[in-house]
Amino acid sequence: MPLLFVHFQSEFGFSLNSLTVLITVTFITEIVIDALSPFFIKKIGYRKSMILANILSFSGFAGLSFLPDIFQNHYIGFLVSAALYAIGGGFDEVLVSPIVEACPTKNKAAAMRFVHSAFCIGCAAVVLGSTLFFKTAGIENWRFLAVIWAAVPLFNAVYFCFVPIRTLEEEKGRGKFSDMIKNPLFWVLGGAMVCTGASELSMSQWASAFAESGLHVSKTTGDLLGPCAFAALMGVSRVIYGNVCGKVDIIKIMMCGALLCIASYLTASLSENPVLALIGCCVCGIAVAPMWPGAFSLAAKHIPNASTAMFAAYAFLGDVGCTAGPTMVGVISGNSDDNISKGLIWSVIFPALMFLCLIFVKRLSKSNVKIRKK
């Protein structure tokens, strides 16, 4: 939907604050699912949970094609669709990382980064595919595009009926969540996860609208050089990061990413040159690339018997950031005559706090305040 925000303003008359609420509802729904999913997954298992997650995502995407037209208030249809695919996305987010961590691979950190780079590849593919559709079929036919993208989770729902799945409990044994929260690093890394989600989503959710309405470039140019380049560079960076993570200190890489993220937000929001502003958007993808998978890897490394509950907790905290960041940008922008650049500049708060969290992580690690893995 972020690729269509400006179009929704003209077709349905939505305000910037209304579009902000769509983002907020999406991630608040994910937050609720993050909190409830460990209990639900324990009851029905990984496989059924993954199948259900993708069916819900399919329902949400497909629903975009007709639900807004069913309701007299079109906005309700968008809210229902967003809530459906957010529930599916919330389950996906909680499940994928522990499933990958449980896979019998030698370099688990590299495997985790590969999976998170696949997320970026998916984002770039959506932007490229959608842009091609808009150019050939017209943006007014976006409902058909929603049905096309709905095929992806539908395929996954079928695929997960057969794919082998190994759980963390089988791999490491069931860890107690009460023991995990006694580890100081759990809380510091939790703060880092909040900042990670906010740093990443503040830019990715608003890059398209910022380029189109703030920088006054064409829809195609804005999408390709905004969210698409952001996702592509994030994906490439995560692949590279996965190849060097065993040789370089993860914390140092994440610190450099936080500083680069600050610079990219300042460049995007303060530059009066559209080219430089778009470069700032793109470089932000490189900056945030190591943050999310890096925090997960540090948690898996320092917290013993990491269970699904731990990954759910970090997904929860990450989604708190994913909600707070874009919502803050939208609210500030909406109260500043829809000037998105004024909202983006405040986002430097999140990578700055991320840097401080990483300093504490480094100090705690050096002080050996951690629990050894069995």
Side-chain angles (χ1 to χ4, degrees):
M1 280 202 289
L3 297 177
L4 292 160
F5 277 173
V6 175
H7 179 76
F8 287 165
Q9 286 180 303
S10 60
E11 182 176 349
F12 300 103
F14 294 160
S15 67
L16 200 63
N17 285 331
S18 297
L19 297 172
T20 301
V21 171
L22 284 176
I23 298 175
T24 305
V25 167
T26 300
F27 287 106
I28 285 181
T29 303
E30 288 197 19
I31 287 172
V32 173
I33 295 303
D34 291 341
L36 298 177
S37 59
F39 309 101
F40 189 81
I41 294 168
K42 185 178 178 181
K43 290 289 184 181
I44 70 171
Y46 278 37
R47 186 180 303 282
K48 291 180 181 178
S49 297
M50 284 298 293
I51 294 170
L52 178 62
N54 282 285
I55 289 175
L56 288 167
S57 294
F58 162 76
S59 301
F61 289 142
L64 283 174
S65 66
F66 64 92
L67 285 178
D69 298 320
I70 288 179
F71 292 96
Q72 187 173 1
N73 184 344
H74 301 299
Y75 193 69
I76 296 176
F78 284 105
L79 287 174
V80 172
S81 298
L84 283 171
Y85 67 65
I87 295 172
F91 275 118
D92 272 332
E93 193 172 39
V94 171
L95 286 161
V96 171
S97 291
I99 288 175
V100 172
E101 182 69 19
C103 287
T105 54
K106 293 182 179 179
N107 192 339
K108 293 184 180 294
M112 186 71 73
R113 278 153 190 78
F114 173 77
V115 169
H116 283 276
S117 68
F119 162 79
C120 309
I121 294 169
C123 290
V126 167
V127 178
L128 287 171
S130 300
T131 300
L132 179 62
F133 180 90
F134 296 149
K135 291 293 289 183
T136 55
I139 195 170
E140 67 276 5
N141 292 312
W142 61 268
R143 291 170 179 82
F144 294 104
L145 182 64
V147 175
I148 293 172
W149 286 126
V152 177
L154 181 61
F155 171 82
N156 279 340
V158 175
Y159 189 73
F160 268 103
C161 291
F162 307 101
V163 66
I165 294 178
R166 184 174 172 83
T167 68
L168 274 178
E169 287 73 23
E170 293 172 334
E171 175 78 3
K172 296 182 176 182
R174 187 177 298 277
K176 292 183 178 180
F177 188 70
S178 58
D179 292 335
M180 297 178 196
I181 62 177
K182 294 176 184 178
N183 189 334
L185 280 172
F186 175 87
W187 295 104
V188 179
L189 285 170
M193 283 300 301
V194 175
C195 297
T196 291
S199 298
E200 183 178 323
L201 270 294
S202 293
M203 182 63 77
S204 68
Q205 290 289 300
W206 288 108
S208 178
F210 172 63
E212 191 174 350
S213 63
L215 302 179
H216 305 292
V217 299
S218 69
K219 169 70 174 169
T220 300
T221 301
D223 285 349
L224 292 179
L225 297 181
C228 182
F230 172 92
L233 288 173
M234 183 165 62
V236 171
S237 299
R238 281 181 175 172
V239 171
I240 296 173
Y241 178 38
N243 292 327
V244 302
C245 62
K247 306 173 185 177
V248 184
D249 186 356
I250 296 176
I251 298 177
K252 288 182 180 179
I253 294 177
M254 294 173 69
M255 283 181 165
C256 290
L259 294 176
L260 183 60
C261 189
I262 293 173
S264 64
Y265 269 107
L266 291 175
T267 301
S269 57
L270 296 178
S271 178
E272 296 181 359
N273 186 320
V275 175
L276 286 177
L278 284 172
I279 289 175
C281 293
C282 298
V283 172
C284 187
I286 300 174
V288 300
M291 292 183 180
W292 193 289
F296 269 62
S297 293
L298 286 171
K301 177 181 179 182
H302 292 295
I303 299 175
N305 291 348
S307 67
T308 304
M310 187 201 74
F311 283 96
Y314 282 136
F316 171 87
L317 293 170
D319 279 337
V320 169
C322 290
T323 306
T327 299
M328 185 189 75
V329 172
V331 170
I332 293 175
S333 302
N335 293 329
S336 304
D337 298 323
D338 288 354
N339 189 335
I340 299 177
S341 63
K342 289 188 177 180
L344 286 176
I345 193 172
W346 282 93
S347 296
V348 299
I349 294 172
F350 301 113
L353 290 174
M354 175 80 171
F355 189 86
L356 292 177
C357 287
L358 291 170
I359 290 176
F360 282 109
V361 170
K362 199 169 186 66
R363 288 181 177 177
L364 287 170
S365 299
K366 285 184 177 181
S367 301
N368 293 320
V369 185
K370 61 182 181 179
I371 304 172
R372 293 182 179 179
K373 292 190 292 183
K374 289 183 179 180

